[in-house]
Amino acid sequence: MANTTVKGALAIHGQNPQFLVETVIRNRIWESAFWKEHCFALTAESLIDKAIELRYIGGVYGNQRPTEFLSLLLKLLQIQPEKEILIEYLQADEFKYLRALAAMYIRMTFRAVEVYEILEPLMKDYRKLRYRDMAGYSLVFFDEFIYQLLTDERVCDIILPRLPKRQILEESGELGPRKSRLLEAMEGKSDHGGSDRSRSSSRSRTTDRSRSRSPSVYHSRSPSPYRSRSPSEGGSRSRSPSANGFYVSRSPSRSPSRSPSPPPQRLSPDAMEL
């Protein structure tokens, strides 16, 4: 009874949901110790705790032993949770392995249009995931894992249901054109650049207007390296008071041609008689 699909589960792609996993791998999962010890009586709520404890994704490793990731995937196919619960799994950004598990389940069970609409936004996630297979451990980015789900036929040793190409769905009108993140980034950058240019031009205009209105302010603020002397200062420095109260210049005459006037001559009494 522990390996049977929940009662009332809907058929997916015309068959039992658990049959989406190959028979050999499904039997190995049922015989594994992790399935018997940890996956028994799990619900959509209690499965979250087990998914958070995951440390890697992958298919089979070693002696064809299934990973814990495959065991929880088969458990999801067995209990068949509602779509709203799976969307909540995807929105838990802090738990990347829970997100990867929900993305794998959506790829296997949802319609093609819903697969593209739900999984394509997840390609913005660039975190690293540990991947385990027959060769050992390796690293894969989350967006690469989503791209594999959308393009490859086999992921984690599971044969995925056939998925029509996106171009076919676009031509039939079932799916809109894909939005390019690069184009959106370029458009946003151009809008931002145009706003910056308009701001810089407006600033330059205001500065030019302010300069043209008050030119004297800039001239008055610039100090002159030379200081002009007033005539009053020159005169006051060249003269000094004397004892008589008259001002006599101490500096010699600047004009060499001028000579001091001769003293007045006294007339003799004989000359006065004439």
PDB file of all heavy atoms in Angstrom, residues 27-47:
ATOM      1  N   ASN A  27      11.474   0.670  -9.310  1.00  0.00           N
ATOM      2  CA  ASN A  27      11.637  -0.459  -8.395  1.00  0.00           C
ATOM      3  C   ASN A  27      12.829  -0.263  -7.465  1.00  0.00           C
ATOM      4  O   ASN A  27      12.766  -0.633  -6.275  1.00  0.00           O
ATOM      5  CB  ASN A  27      11.786  -1.758  -9.184  1.00  0.00           C
ATOM      6  CG  ASN A  27      10.501  -2.132  -9.918  1.00  0.00           C
ATOM      7  OD1 ASN A  27       9.393  -1.765  -9.497  1.00  0.00           O
ATOM      8  ND2 ASN A  27      10.643  -2.858 -11.028  1.00  0.00           N
ATOM      9  N   ARG A  28      13.897   0.298  -7.987  1.00  0.00           N
ATOM     10  CA  ARG A  28      15.058   0.556  -7.138  1.00  0.00           C
ATOM     11  C   ARG A  28      14.737   1.606  -6.076  1.00  0.00           C
ATOM     12  O   ARG A  28      15.280   1.551  -4.954  1.00  0.00           O
ATOM     13  CB  ARG A  28      16.248   0.995  -7.996  1.00  0.00           C
ATOM     14  CG  ARG A  28      16.823  -0.131  -8.860  1.00  0.00           C
ATOM     15  CD  ARG A  28      18.044   0.338  -9.616  1.00  0.00           C
ATOM     16  NE  ARG A  28      18.581  -0.715 -10.455  1.00  0.00           N
ATOM     17  CZ  ARG A  28      19.434  -1.667 -10.039  1.00  0.00           C
ATOM     18  NH1 ARG A  28      19.849  -1.666  -8.783  1.00  0.00           N
ATOM     19  NH2 ARG A  28      19.861  -2.591 -10.872  1.00  0.00           N
ATOM     20  N   ILE A  29      13.911   2.598  -6.439  1.00  0.00           N
ATOM     21  CA  ILE A  29      13.518   3.604  -5.444  1.00  0.00           C
ATOM     22  C   ILE A  29      12.675   2.959  -4.348  1.00  0.00           C
ATOM     23  O   ILE A  29      12.877   3.222  -3.152  1.00  0.00           O
ATOM     24  CB  ILE A  29      12.750   4.758  -6.128  1.00  0.00           C
ATOM     25  CG1 ILE A  29      13.685   5.549  -7.053  1.00  0.00           C
ATOM     26  CG2 ILE A  29      12.141   5.690  -5.088  1.00  0.00           C
ATOM     27  CD1 ILE A  29      12.991   6.610  -7.862  1.00  0.00           C
ATOM     28  N   TRP A  30      11.745   2.107  -4.718  1.00  0.00           N
ATOM     29  CA  TRP A  30      10.901   1.456  -3.712  1.00  0.00           C
ATOM     30  C   TRP A  30      11.715   0.557  -2.780  1.00  0.00           C
ATOM     31  O   TRP A  30      11.353   0.380  -1.615  1.00  0.00           O
ATOM     32  CB  TRP A  30       9.825   0.627  -4.415  1.00  0.00           C
ATOM     33  CG  TRP A  30       8.752   1.477  -5.046  1.00  0.00           C
ATOM     34  CD1 TRP A  30       8.474   2.774  -4.789  1.00  0.00           C
ATOM     35  CD2 TRP A  30       7.832   1.069  -6.046  1.00  0.00           C
ATOM     36  NE1 TRP A  30       7.427   3.225  -5.561  1.00  0.00           N
ATOM     37  CE2 TRP A  30       7.008   2.187  -6.351  1.00  0.00           C
ATOM     38  CE3 TRP A  30       7.604  -0.130  -6.753  1.00  0.00           C
ATOM     39  CZ2 TRP A  30       5.982   2.142  -7.285  1.00  0.00           C
ATOM     40  CZ3 TRP A  30       6.573  -0.176  -7.685  1.00  0.00           C
ATOM     41  CH2 TRP A  30       5.771   0.951  -7.964  1.00  0.00           C
ATOM     42  N   GLU A  31      12.819   0.009  -3.282  1.00  0.00           N
ATOM     43  CA  GLU A  31      13.647  -0.885  -2.468  1.00  0.00           C
ATOM     44  C   GLU A  31      14.729  -0.158  -1.667  1.00  0.00           C
ATOM     45  O   GLU A  31      15.406  -0.803  -0.850  1.00  0.00           O
ATOM     46  CB  GLU A  31      14.316  -1.930  -3.373  1.00  0.00           C
ATOM     47  CG  GLU A  31      13.333  -2.876  -4.058  1.00  0.00           C
ATOM     48  CD  GLU A  31      14.010  -3.763  -5.074  1.00  0.00           C
ATOM     49  OE1 GLU A  31      15.263  -3.612  -5.236  1.00  0.00           O
ATOM     50  OE2 GLU A  31      13.336  -4.583  -5.723  1.00  0.00           O
ATOM     51  N   SER A  32      14.877   1.126  -1.897  1.00  0.00           N
ATOM     52  CA  SER A  32      15.941   1.865  -1.215  1.00  0.00           C
ATOM     53  C   SER A  32      15.571   2.115   0.240  1.00  0.00           C
ATOM     54  O   SER A  32      14.389   2.166   0.628  1.00  0.00           O
ATOM     55  CB  SER A  32      16.195   3.198  -1.928  1.00  0.00           C
ATOM     56  OG  SER A  32      15.044   4.032  -1.850  1.00  0.00           O
ATOM     57  N   ALA A  33      16.612   2.296   1.050  1.00  0.00           N
ATOM     58  CA  ALA A  33      16.391   2.551   2.478  1.00  0.00           C
ATOM     59  C   ALA A  33      15.795   3.933   2.717  1.00  0.00           C
ATOM     60  O   ALA A  33      14.987   4.110   3.641  1.00  0.00           O
ATOM     61  CB  ALA A  33      17.716   2.404   3.223  1.00  0.00           C
ATOM     62  N   PHE A  34      16.172   4.916   1.917  1.00  0.00           N
ATOM     63  CA  PHE A  34      15.630   6.265   2.096  1.00  0.00           C
ATOM     64  C   PHE A  34      14.123   6.282   1.871  1.00  0.00           C
ATOM     65  O   PHE A  34      13.389   6.968   2.590  1.00  0.00           O
ATOM     66  CB  PHE A  34      16.331   7.233   1.132  1.00  0.00           C
ATOM     67  CG  PHE A  34      15.863   8.653   1.263  1.00  0.00           C
ATOM     68  CD1 PHE A  34      16.361   9.467   2.267  1.00  0.00           C
ATOM     69  CD2 PHE A  34      14.928   9.190   0.377  1.00  0.00           C
ATOM     70  CE1 PHE A  34      15.930  10.780   2.394  1.00  0.00           C
ATOM     71  CE2 PHE A  34      14.494  10.487   0.495  1.00  0.00           C
ATOM     72  CZ  PHE A  34      14.999  11.295   1.512  1.00  0.00           C
ATOM     73  N   TRP A  35      13.649   5.556   0.878  1.00  0.00           N
ATOM     74  CA  TRP A  35      12.204   5.498   0.608  1.00  0.00           C
ATOM     75  C   TRP A  35      11.467   4.844   1.779  1.00  0.00           C
ATOM     76  O   TRP A  35      10.404   5.331   2.198  1.00  0.00           O
ATOM     77  CB  TRP A  35      11.959   4.751  -0.689  1.00  0.00           C
ATOM     78  CG  TRP A  35      10.510   4.551  -1.009  1.00  0.00           C
ATOM     79  CD1 TRP A  35       9.736   3.486  -0.672  1.00  0.00           C
ATOM     80  CD2 TRP A  35       9.666   5.444  -1.728  1.00  0.00           C
ATOM     81  NE1 TRP A  35       8.450   3.642  -1.132  1.00  0.00           N
ATOM     82  CE2 TRP A  35       8.376   4.853  -1.794  1.00  0.00           C
ATOM     83  CE3 TRP A  35       9.839   6.680  -2.336  1.00  0.00           C
ATOM     84  CZ2 TRP A  35       7.295   5.443  -2.432  1.00  0.00           C
ATOM     85  CZ3 TRP A  35       8.768   7.275  -2.978  1.00  0.00           C
ATOM     86  CH2 TRP A  35       7.511   6.668  -3.021  1.00  0.00           C
ATOM     87  N   LYS A  36      11.998   3.783   2.312  1.00  0.00           N
ATOM     88  CA  LYS A  36      11.306   3.059   3.378  1.00  0.00           C
ATOM     89  C   LYS A  36      11.355   3.801   4.711  1.00  0.00           C
ATOM     90  O   LYS A  36      10.409   3.718   5.502  1.00  0.00           O
ATOM     91  CB  LYS A  36      11.932   1.676   3.539  1.00  0.00           C
ATOM     92  CG  LYS A  36      11.757   0.773   2.319  1.00  0.00           C
ATOM     93  CD  LYS A  36      12.460  -0.549   2.514  1.00  0.00           C
ATOM     94  CE  LYS A  36      12.305  -1.441   1.289  1.00  0.00           C
ATOM     95  NZ  LYS A  36      13.013  -2.750   1.443  1.00  0.00           N
ATOM     96  N   GLU A  37      12.431   4.551   4.954  1.00  0.00           N
ATOM     97  CA  GLU A  37      12.588   5.203   6.247  1.00  0.00           C
ATOM     98  C   GLU A  37      12.038   6.625   6.286  1.00  0.00           C
ATOM     99  O   GLU A  37      11.494   7.046   7.308  1.00  0.00           O
ATOM    100  CB  GLU A  37      14.070   5.222   6.638  1.00  0.00           C
ATOM    101  CG  GLU A  37      14.668   3.846   6.868  1.00  0.00           C
ATOM    102  CD  GLU A  37      16.143   3.914   7.193  1.00  0.00           C
ATOM    103  OE1 GLU A  37      16.650   5.061   7.334  1.00  0.00           O
ATOM    104  OE2 GLU A  37      16.788   2.864   7.295  1.00  0.00           O
ATOM    105  N   HIS A  38      12.189   7.370   5.189  1.00  0.00           N
ATOM    106  CA  HIS A  38      11.875   8.799   5.217  1.00  0.00           C
ATOM    107  C   HIS A  38      10.694   9.205   4.340  1.00  0.00           C
ATOM    108  O   HIS A  38      10.119  10.283   4.578  1.00  0.00           O
ATOM    109  CB  HIS A  38      13.106   9.610   4.795  1.00  0.00           C
ATOM    110  CG  HIS A  38      14.305   9.380   5.661  1.00  0.00           C
ATOM    111  ND1 HIS A  38      14.471   9.965   6.891  1.00  0.00           N
ATOM    112  CD2 HIS A  38      15.402   8.590   5.466  1.00  0.00           C
ATOM    113  CE1 HIS A  38      15.624   9.577   7.422  1.00  0.00           C
ATOM    114  NE2 HIS A  38      16.212   8.744   6.578  1.00  0.00           N
ATOM    115  N   CYS A  39      10.354   8.423   3.348  1.00  0.00           N
ATOM    116  CA  CYS A  39       9.285   8.808   2.430  1.00  0.00           C
ATOM    117  C   CYS A  39       7.940   8.187   2.776  1.00  0.00           C
ATOM    118  O   CYS A  39       6.956   8.432   2.081  1.00  0.00           O
ATOM    119  CB  CYS A  39       9.663   8.429   0.993  1.00  0.00           C
ATOM    120  SG  CYS A  39      11.118   9.291   0.371  1.00  0.00           S
ATOM    121  N   PHE A  40       7.882   7.418   3.811  1.00  0.00           N
ATOM    122  CA  PHE A  40       6.619   6.772   4.174  1.00  0.00           C
ATOM    123  C   PHE A  40       5.686   7.809   4.817  1.00  0.00           C
ATOM    124  O   PHE A  40       6.086   8.556   5.711  1.00  0.00           O
ATOM    125  CB  PHE A  40       6.862   5.615   5.144  1.00  0.00           C
ATOM    126  CG  PHE A  40       5.607   4.910   5.555  1.00  0.00           C
ATOM    127  CD1 PHE A  40       4.998   4.003   4.702  1.00  0.00           C
ATOM    128  CD2 PHE A  40       5.030   5.155   6.793  1.00  0.00           C
ATOM    129  CE1 PHE A  40       3.838   3.340   5.075  1.00  0.00           C
ATOM    130  CE2 PHE A  40       3.875   4.497   7.172  1.00  0.00           C
ATOM    131  CZ  PHE A  40       3.273   3.591   6.314  1.00  0.00           C
ATOM    132  N   ALA A  41       4.439   7.854   4.329  1.00  0.00           N
ATOM    133  CA  ALA A  41       3.395   8.734   4.877  1.00  0.00           C
ATOM    134  C   ALA A  41       3.748  10.213   4.775  1.00  0.00           C
ATOM    135  O   ALA A  41       3.293  11.035   5.591  1.00  0.00           O
ATOM    136  CB  ALA A  41       3.080   8.367   6.320  1.00  0.00           C
ATOM    137  N   LEU A  42       4.538  10.580   3.795  1.00  0.00           N
ATOM    138  CA  LEU A  42       4.823  12.003   3.583  1.00  0.00           C
ATOM    139  C   LEU A  42       3.634  12.695   2.932  1.00  0.00           C
ATOM    140  O   LEU A  42       2.934  12.119   2.094  1.00  0.00           O
ATOM    141  CB  LEU A  42       6.061  12.180   2.711  1.00  0.00           C
ATOM    142  CG  LEU A  42       7.432  12.034   3.366  1.00  0.00           C
ATOM    143  CD1 LEU A  42       8.527  12.267   2.348  1.00  0.00           C
ATOM    144  CD2 LEU A  42       7.586  12.991   4.531  1.00  0.00           C
ATOM    145  N   THR A  43       3.424  13.951   3.309  1.00  0.00           N
ATOM    146  CA  THR A  43       2.385  14.783   2.704  1.00  0.00           C
ATOM    147  C   THR A  43       3.052  15.954   1.985  1.00  0.00           C
ATOM    148  O   THR A  43       4.282  16.128   2.027  1.00  0.00           O
ATOM    149  CB  THR A  43       1.411  15.292   3.768  1.00  0.00           C
ATOM    150  OG1 THR A  43       2.140  16.086   4.716  1.00  0.00           O
ATOM    151  CG2 THR A  43       0.736  14.128   4.493  1.00  0.00           C
ATOM    152  N   ALA A  44       2.225  16.771   1.339  1.00  0.00           N
ATOM    153  CA  ALA A  44       2.770  17.937   0.636  1.00  0.00           C
ATOM    154  C   ALA A  44       3.424  18.919   1.594  1.00  0.00           C
ATOM    155  O   ALA A  44       4.335  19.661   1.203  1.00  0.00           O
ATOM    156  CB  ALA A  44       1.655  18.621  -0.155  1.00  0.00           C
ATOM    157  N   GLU A  45       3.000  18.933   2.830  1.00  0.00           N
ATOM    158  CA  GLU A  45       3.590  19.834   3.821  1.00  0.00           C
ATOM    159  C   GLU A  45       4.852  19.258   4.438  1.00  0.00           C
ATOM    160  O   GLU A  45       5.868  19.954   4.565  1.00  0.00           O
ATOM    161  CB  GLU A  45       2.554  20.132   4.905  1.00  0.00           C
ATOM    162  CG  GLU A  45       3.036  21.110   5.958  1.00  0.00           C
ATOM    163  CD  GLU A  45       1.977  21.405   6.996  1.00  0.00           C
ATOM    164  OE1 GLU A  45       0.860  20.862   6.865  1.00  0.00           O
ATOM    165  OE2 GLU A  45       2.269  22.171   7.944  1.00  0.00           O
ATOM    166  N   SER A  46       4.798  17.985   4.848  1.00  0.00           N
ATOM    167  CA  SER A  46       5.967  17.377   5.490  1.00  0.00           C
ATOM    168  C   SER A  46       7.088  17.078   4.494  1.00  0.00           C
ATOM    169  O   SER A  46       8.247  16.913   4.893  1.00  0.00           O
ATOM    170  CB  SER A  46       5.556  16.080   6.194  1.00  0.00           C
ATOM    171  OG  SER A  46       5.006  15.149   5.264  1.00  0.00           O
ATOM    172  N   LEU A  47       6.760  17.030   3.211  1.00  0.00           N
ATOM    173  CA  LEU A  47       7.803  16.798   2.205  1.00  0.00           C
ATOM    174  C   LEU A  47       8.764  17.976   2.104  1.00  0.00           C
ATOM    175  O   LEU A  47       9.912  17.817   1.656  1.00  0.00           O
ATOM    176  CB  LEU A  47       7.148  16.503   0.856  1.00  0.00           C
ATOM    177  CG  LEU A  47       8.077  16.067  -0.287  1.00  0.00           C
ATOM    178  CD1 LEU A  47       7.444  14.940  -1.085  1.00  0.00           C
ATOM    179  CD2 LEU A  47       8.370  17.248  -1.211  1.00  0.00           C
TER     180      LEU A  47
END
